[in-house]
């Protein structure tokens, strides 16, 4: 049976700004769900709430039909940030960090790290200083670090922003290879071409509200919402 | 004036190379009181800094403000206060610490507390908030997240402890008032400089000052080298000899 994540009436306010206005969504495993929207639409806030890094002001998150608090959400999800963060360690230390916390047997860790590096096409990078790698390499390491944990919910916040096309394609392929019935993958982006290439389902979020949910063909060819049509045509004022 | 400086250099070299036991003992005592004072202060300053840097609570700004304000406390004022506490009639007179090296060390521990607390708390507080989120999203508990943030800012902590050591190493007020500047017992480099000036022996005073500065500079350079080796992942020999010559 496929895993599922349900967001029910989530709201979030920062001072006077409503970042999320009653967002409800049902997400299934074996799919890549792309969150599309302009900057400031609420994508990152929604991702952080799904990752358990922030609490919503109201609403619920159900994982496999169970109400799940932020702390428990952090145990089943992993977020790859738009701006890559690396610990002051070598690549191996960065990758092994989450595995050690999740008490993976010590003898398994080197092999799993090696496999994860192969998946993002950075073999033999174990001993390199993570912070001294290029932006694209760091992003691939961040992705490998998230892959390693085999989380049920994989959240990717603009994982290819500011990357060269070659690195972006490598990352896209690596993400697609992680599709599984036991994993919900949500990727936030404002890149329409990437959404078309990768999405099984597109969720368009605007001003903290979901304005359209559709399969890529319907989303691009026959958008139901006027806001989505304007977004696709680059006519949206924000 | 230039003559005095030249003579002072010669005198300093003579003092260092002559094997004069009192000179070496004075240097040792100075390092001892500053070292013990700094280590002692770390016992309470670092935990206080961790709480101030990593946790939010009511009135935190006020406590941080107090520590910031005391960074520049005059050493004579603090020396006087500690003197009164350690004197025979004082609350801690029974410890018999007045005119001892350990008495000076305790005074210096109090003196450097605001430096370690303020610098370390600021470093922890300004640690990249994304690292906190990263640790959490990788499954770290709150405690483990704080440990990783401490690890990430460890170098700033080393620098704050070094600054604290230097402050203790170069202070005069506490060493004079609490230590009493007893020859062969509590005389340290700063009090030795002061007394040599009183005797009109400027060249000897300057020589002690040069030794004092030499030790501070060597310590600072050593710390900088360790930091560069740590950050740049290069060998010691390459860093010292090649980079020192301006190579890449």
């Amino acid at each position: 049976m496929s895993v599922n994540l349900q967001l029910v009436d989530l709201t979030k306010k920062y001072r006077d700004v409503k970042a999320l206005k009653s967002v409800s969504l049902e997400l299934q495993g074996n799919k890549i769900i792309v969150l599309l929207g302009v900057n400031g639409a609420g994508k990152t806030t929604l991702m952080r709430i799904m990752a358990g890094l922030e609490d919503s002001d109201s609403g619920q998150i159900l994982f496999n039909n169970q109400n799940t608090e932020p702390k428990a959400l952090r145990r089943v999800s992993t977020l790859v940030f738009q701006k890559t963060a690396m610990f002051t360690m070598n690549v191996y230390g960065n990758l092994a960090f989450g595995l050690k916390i999740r008490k993976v047997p010590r003898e398994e860790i080197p092999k799993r790290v090696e496999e994860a590096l192969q998946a993002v096409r950075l073999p033999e990078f174990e001993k390199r200083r993570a912070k001294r790698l290029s932006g694209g390499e760091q992003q691939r390491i961040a992705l490998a670090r998230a892959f390693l944990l085999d989380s049920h919910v994989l959240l990717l916040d603009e994982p290819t922003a500011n990357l060269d096309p070659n690195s972006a394609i490598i990352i896209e392929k690596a993400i697609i290879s992680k599709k599984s019935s036991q994993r919900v993958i949500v990727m936030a982006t404002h890149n329409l071409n990437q959404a078309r290439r990768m999405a099984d389902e597109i969720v368009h979020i605007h001003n903290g509200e979901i304005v359209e949910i559709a399969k890529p063909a319907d989303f691009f060819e026959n958008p139901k919402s006027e806001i989505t049509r304007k977004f696709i045509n680059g006519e949206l004022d924000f | 004036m230039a003559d005095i400086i030249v003579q002072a250099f010669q005198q300093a070299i003579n003092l260092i190379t002559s094997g004069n036991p009192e000179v070496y003992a004075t240097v040792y005592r100075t390092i001892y009181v500053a070292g013990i004072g700094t280590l002692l202060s770390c016992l309470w300053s670092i935990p206080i800094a961790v709480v101030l840097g990593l946790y939010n609570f009511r009135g935190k700004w006020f406590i941080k403000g107090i520590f910031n304000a005391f960074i520049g406390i005059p050493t004579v004022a603090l020396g006087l206060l500690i003197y009164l506490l350690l004197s025979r009639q004082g609350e801690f007179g029974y410890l018999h610490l007045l005119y001892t090296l350990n008495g000076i060390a305790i005074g210096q521990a109090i003196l450097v507390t605001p430096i370690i607390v303020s610098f370390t708390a600021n470093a922890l507080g300004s640690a990249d908030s994304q690292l906190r989120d990263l640790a959490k999203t990788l499954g770290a508990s709150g405690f483990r997240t704080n440990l990783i943030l401490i690890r990430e800012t460890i170098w700033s902590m080393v620098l704050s402890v070094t600054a604290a050591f230097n402050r203790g190493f170069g202070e005069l007020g506490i060493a004079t008032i609490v230590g009493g500047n007893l020859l062969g017992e509590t005389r340290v480099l700063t009090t030795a400089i002061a007394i040599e000036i009183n005797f009109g022996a400027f060249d000897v005073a300057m020589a002690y000052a040069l030794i004092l500065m030499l030790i501070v500079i060597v310590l600072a350079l050593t710390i900088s080298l360790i930091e560069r080796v740590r950050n740049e992942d290069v060998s010691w020999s390459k860093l010292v000899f090649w980079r020192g010559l301006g190579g890449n």
Side-chain angles (χ1 to χ4, degrees), chain B residues 130-151:
Chain B
Q130 217 175 348
L131 287 175
R132 184 189 289 267
D133 286 343
L134 174 62
K136 280 185 179 174
T137 198
L138 293 174
S141 62
F143 178 71
R144 190 88 183 242
T145 301
N146 285 342
L147 279 186
I148 193 79
L149 289 177
I150 290 169
R151 188 187 184 281

Side-chain angles (χ1 to χ4, degrees), chain B residues 29-49:
Chain B
R29 282 192 292 270
T30 315
I31 293 172
Y32 174 84
V33 291
I36 295 293
T38 306
L39 286 177
L40 202 59
S41 181
C42 286
L43 292 179
W44 58 76
S45 300
I46 289 177
I48 294 170

Side-chain angles (χ1 to χ4, degrees), chain A residues 48 74 77-79 81 83 85-89 97 101-102 129 131 145 149, chain B residues 128 130-131 133-140 144 148 151-152 230-233:
Chain A
R48 288 178 63 82
R74 291 204 292 269
S77 68
T78 311
L79 171 63
F81 301 93
K83 182 174 163 251
M86 290 284 147
F87 297 125
T88 313
M89 304 173 183
F97 182 84
I101 283 175
R102 293 179 193 215
R129 294 250 173 190
K131 283 189 172 174
R145 185 167 56 192
L149 301 180
Chain B
D128 190 350
Q130 217 175 348
L131 287 175
D133 286 343
L134 174 62
K136 280 185 179 174
T137 198
L138 293 174
R144 190 88 183 242
I148 193 79
R151 188 187 184 281
E152 289 291 319
R230 183 177 176 270
N231 287 345
E232 302 193 15
D233 204 17

Side-chain angles (χ1 to χ4, degrees), chain B residues 7-175:
Chain B
Q7 277 178 21
F9 267 111
Q10 287 169 346
Q11 185 76 19
I13 291 162
N14 288 342
L15 275 175
I16 294 166
T17 55
S18 65
N20 183 334
E22 179 52 22
V23 172
Y24 286 110
T26 304
V27 171
Y28 165 77
R29 282 192 292 270
T30 315
I31 293 172
Y32 174 84
V33 291
I36 295 293
T38 306
L39 286 177
L40 202 59
S41 181
C42 286
L43 292 179
W44 58 76
S45 300
I46 289 177
I48 294 170
V50 167
V51 172
L52 284 175
L54 296 179
Y55 296 92
N56 287 320
F57 54 88
R58 231 172 155 185
K60 175 174 152 173
W61 67 270
F62 180 75
I63 298 170
K64 282 181 85 172
I66 293 285
F67 278 109
N68 285 339
F70 276 98
I71 286 176
I73 189 170
T75 57
V76 282
L78 186 61
L80 177 62
L81 184 69
I82 293 164
Y83 176 88
L84 294 173
L85 288 171
L86 296 183
S87 64
R88 202 168 285 182
Q89 290 81 22
E91 272 73 5
F92 300 103
Y94 66 93
L95 294 172
H96 304 293
L97 287 168
L98 199 61
Y99 306 132
T100 65
L101 291 179
N102 287 336
I104 305 174
I106 289 169
Q108 291 192 354
I110 296 165
L111 173 74
V112 302
T113 292
I115 296 175
I116 301 177
V117 170
S118 293
F119 291 0
T120 305
N122 281 342
L124 285 167
S126 58
D128 190 350
S129 63
Q130 217 175 348
L131 287 175
R132 184 189 289 267
D133 286 343
L134 174 62
K136 280 185 179 174
T137 198
L138 293 174
S141 62
F143 178 71
R144 190 88 183 242
T145 301
N146 285 342
L147 279 186
I148 193 79
L149 289 177
I150 290 169
R151 188 187 184 281
E152 289 291 319
T153 50
I154 198 79
W155 200 250
S156 299
M157 284 192 196
V158 170
L159 291 180
S160 72
V161 171
T162 308
F165 176 85
N166 285 343
R167 168 84 158 138
F169 196 71
E171 74 82 26
L172 176 64
I174 294 168

Side-chain angles (χ1 to χ4, degrees), chain A residues 145-176:
Chain A
R145 185 167 56 192
F147 286 173
L148 264 173
L149 301 180
D150 253 340
S151 301
H152 289 301
V153 182
L154 180 59
L155 304 161
L156 309 155
D157 191 3
E158 313 224 9
T160 60
N162 308 320
L163 292 188
D164 63 86
N166 192 41
S167 294
I169 293 294
I170 290 169
I171 284 182
E172 285 180 9
K173 282 182 181 168
I175 293 165
I176 291 166

